């Protein structure tokens, strides 16, 4: 399985030609961990990534997405966790492998973070919405409901000034099987 991400230099960038491909999840994970060590003033100083793969020579728009490149992310902003975040997340995701990294607005009293999951297969455009619904259902709808568009971008991890910065890997060792998940949560 390989993993692809599209890179955007800012929230306003709509060019889709900057793409990275990884031949293993370990290499993808290493990139996120390397990025998490870089000091950044704020999120405006950071690039964004998306699991969306686009039709060649197009711009960032849902209509131009062909698939998600073997991974997905869930943006968690308002879920209240009691106790140890990693333990609670591990209980939620079961056997799934994930990377959890803080956002620029994360605080120790209110953690805000991304959950990044490897997938067993890429997801074609026609199945992304059903997959997103199934994933949110499985996770108890902890994700930001506004982040469901096919071409969603996510700020990269970093050492953001004033934030409670963290990154960790959790869960099990299994990637998400998107089609089994959609079957379980139609």
């Amino acid at each position: 399985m390989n993993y692809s991400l599209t890179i955007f230099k800012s929230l306003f960038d709509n060019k889709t030609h900057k793409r990275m491909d990884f031949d293993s999840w370990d290499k993808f994970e290493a990139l996120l961990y390397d990025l998490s060590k870089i000091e950044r003033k704020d999120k405006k100083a950071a690039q964004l990534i998306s699991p969306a793969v686009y039709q060649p020579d197009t711009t960032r728009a849902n209509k131009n997405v062909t698939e998600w490149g073997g991974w997905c992310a869930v943006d968690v902003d308002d879920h209240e966790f009691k106790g140890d975040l990693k333990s609670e997340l591990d209980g939620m995701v079961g056997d799934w492998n994930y990377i959890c990294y803080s956002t620029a607005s994360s605080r120790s009293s209110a953690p805000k973070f991304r959950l990044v999951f490897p997938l067993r297969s890429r997801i074609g455009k026609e199945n992304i919405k059903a997959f997103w619904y199934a994933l949110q259902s499985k996770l108890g709808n902890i994700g930001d409901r506004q982040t469901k568009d096919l071409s969603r971008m996510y700020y990269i991890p970093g050492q953001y000034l004033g934030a409670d910065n963290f990154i960790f890997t959790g869960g099990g060792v299994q990637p998400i099987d998107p089609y089994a998940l959609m079957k379980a949560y139609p």
Side-chain angles (χ1 to χ4, degrees), residues 93-111:
V93 304
D95 289 348
W96 294 345
N97 180 288
Y98 68 88
I99 301 165
C100 179
Y101 70 85
S102 57
T103 67
S105 56
S106 183
R107 302 296 178 261
S108 57
S109 60

Side-chain angles (χ1 to χ4, degrees), residues 4-19:
S4 301
L5 62 84
T6 304
I7 305 166
F8 299 94
K9 63 183 176 183
S10 74
L11 192 59
F12 305 104
D13 183 9
N14 68 354
K15 307 286 188 294
T16 60
H17 66 284
K18 296 177 295 271
R19 192 169 115 189

Side-chain angles (χ1 to χ4, degrees), residues 19-86:
R19 192 169 115 189
M20 293 180 73
D21 297 300
F22 303 87
D23 61 9
S24 75
W25 182 250
D26 291 340
K27 291 178 182 175
F28 184 97
E29 182 178 41
L31 171 70
L32 294 182
Y33 272 83
D34 288 346
L35 291 170
S36 76
K37 298 172 187 169
I38 300 172
E39 292 184 13
R40 302 180 192 287
K41 179 180 174 186
D42 55 28
K43 67 182 183 182
K44 293 177 186 171
Q47 295 176 315
L48 297 97
I49 57 174
S50 176
V53 175
Y54 298 88
Q55 296 171 22
D57 303 316
T58 60
T59 56
R60 189 179 77 85
N62 288 340
K63 68 181 182 180
N64 297 329
V65 173
T66 61
E67 65 183 1
W68 276 1
W71 64 282
C72 66
V74 175
D75 197 13
V76 182
D77 287 336
D78 298 319
H79 188 76
E80 186 177 326
F81 285 88
K82 296 175 176 78
D84 178 60
L85 177 62
K86 184 179 181 308

